[in-house]
Amino acid sequence: MAPQSGLARQRTRSAWAFLAPMLFVLAAVALYPLLRTIWFGFTDASLTSFSSARFVGFRNYLEWLDYGDGNGEWLGLLVDGRWWSAVWNTVRFTLVSVTLETVFGMIIALVLNQKFAGRAVVRAAVLIPWAIPTVVSAKMWGWMLHDQFGIINDILMRIGLLSAPVAWTASPDTAMAAVMMVDIWKTTPFMALLILAGLQMIPDDIYEAARLDGVGPVRTFRRITLPLVLPAVLVAVVFRALDALRVFDIVYVLTPNSPETRTMSVFARENLFDYDKFAYGSAASTLLFLIIAMITIGFIYATRMDLSGNRE
């Protein structure tokens, strides 16, 4: 690498000077709480004993309890069935919801990318579910999915698809599906917006050349649209997957205290505050952070996503 010129070094110093306040704020509001959470995961802290918390090593993660008669058992987060159930619930929620949101978002983006009367109004209307706060959406859908006076059961029974009301959010068989449905309804517009931005970056000349060559719409999508919009789709998937892996509010409002929908964030919150097992909840939060970090890094490497900003 060639040595930087004086002007390049001056620009680098100026860039760091502009970034310094933001980095300081990030360190204060994000890095410090993260490091404190990781530290509490190695202590016996509780809600009433922060100052007197003692270092206990990896006891919250894995510990062998000896009964004194030659027998014993493993304890800790890594052998906690409730934790691994929460991990599986989170991964399943992420895979299903992000996949369907990407597919539906692509379809909506392709429609909105076409020219038709009232397109601006339709674009604004599509964004309404995403604009509604998550807690409000969850409460609204909770009433709609109610087994006694919910409109969803009423409609399905009127058209003959149901013979009796279904407790969508209370039944173990349908609770996760209900949460996924609400999340897909709310977040698909976000995916559509990001994909639409990528579609509008594709030059019209390419499509005009394809039409002159007699290329059909399906082949145009496979050979032109999809490869060119794929970087925008990957960015949208990364952002949405990060959000889905730490999902909390929609699950906590729709299905509180339900083991069928308990996610890693809900598990951590329950131990932090409900059970007063602050150290155990901190350990769960730390593992959540590590899992999200590993999945994100693996996805970036697997898709060869360029985050450097270099175009050379």
Side-chain angles (χ1 to χ4, degrees):
M1 179 182 295
Q4 287 186 328
S5 64
L7 179 60
R9 288 194 296 270
Q10 182 180 357
R11 288 178 174 177
T12 301
R13 288 194 297 268
S14 299
W16 279 110
F18 281 112
L19 287 174
M22 181 197 68
L23 295 176
F24 175 78
V25 173
L26 283 177
V29 303
L31 181 60
Y32 176 73
L34 174 62
L35 295 178
R36 288 284 287 176
T37 300
I38 295 174
W39 160 251
F40 281 132
F42 293 98
T43 68
D44 61 352
S46 66
L47 289 175
T48 57
S49 63
F50 286 118
S51 58
S52 60
R54 295 181 299 106
F55 180 77
V56 296
F58 288 90
R59 184 180 300 174
N60 292 310
Y61 295 95
L62 190 64
E63 177 191 16
W64 174 256
L65 178 62
D66 192 347
Y67 294 154
D69 57 357
N71 298 317
E73 63 175 326
W74 289 103
L75 301 176
L77 197 61
L78 294 179
V79 293
D80 190 338
R82 294 174 66 253
W83 163 253
W84 288 112
S85 176
V87 172
W88 165 241
N89 287 339
T90 307
V91 172
R92 182 170 53 135
F93 171 85
T94 301
L95 290 175
V96 175
S97 61
V98 173
T99 299
L100 292 179
E101 287 161 6
T102 304
V103 173
F104 295 150
M106 175 67 76
I107 295 173
I108 294 173
L110 290 171
V111 173
L112 295 181
N113 196 43
Q114 304 301 314
K115 296 180 180 179
F116 56 88
R119 181 174 64 169
V121 176
V122 175
R123 285 181 176 180
V126 166
L127 292 176
I128 290 177
W130 183 47
I132 299 175
T134 304
V135 174
V136 176
S137 299
K139 292 299 292 184
M140 178 183 70
W141 276 95
W143 284 101
M144 294 171 62
L145 293 169
H146 197 275
D147 57 332
Q148 295 183 9
F149 38 78
I151 191 174
I152 302 298
N153 278 318
D154 183 67
I155 292 175
L156 295 178
M157 291 176 66
R158 287 177 183 272
I159 63 178
L161 293 181
L162 287 180
S163 58
V166 175
W168 298 98
T169 59
S171 172
D173 299 327
T174 59
M176 179 59 79
V179 172
M180 290 178 182
M181 179 181 66
V182 177
D183 185 78
I184 291 169
W185 171 84
K186 175 174 174 52
T187 319
T188 293
F190 170 77
M191 301 293 286
L193 185 66
L194 293 184
I195 296 173
L196 178 61
L199 288 174
Q200 293 185 333
M201 297 295 293
I202 302 176
D204 293 334
D205 297 343
I206 299 178
Y207 292 111
E208 184 64 27
R211 282 193 293 268
L212 292 176
D213 291 340
V215 181
V218 176
R219 191 177 180 187
T220 298
F221 174 77
R222 291 178 53 237
R223 299 293 185 179
I224 298 176
T225 304
L226 190 57
L228 293 178
V229 82
L230 188 59
V233 174
L234 292 179
V235 171
V237 168
V238 168
F239 276 100
R240 181 64 199 113
L242 290 177
D243 194 38
L245 285 169
R246 56 184 178 84
V247 62
F248 170 79
D249 41 11
I250 193 170
V251 175
Y252 190 75
V253 174
L254 268 179
T255 57
N257 303 318
S258 174
E260 286 75 22
T261 59
R262 181 185 292 113
T263 61
M264 291 186 284
S265 296
V266 174
F267 178 92
R269 190 263 176 199
E270 288 177 347
N271 284 276
L272 282 166
F273 302 109
D274 292 349
Y275 307 148
D276 194 14
K277 299 168 64 176
F278 197 86
Y280 202 71
S282 298
S285 300
T286 301
L287 282 186
L288 170 60
F289 167 74
L290 293 176
I291 290 173
I292 292 177
M294 289 188 295
I295 291 177
T296 304
I297 294 172
F299 184 86
I300 291 174
Y301 275 98
T303 58
R304 296 177 175 83
M305 188 180 297
D306 181 16
L307 301 178
S308 65
N310 297 325
R311 293 291 181 265
E312 298 178 358

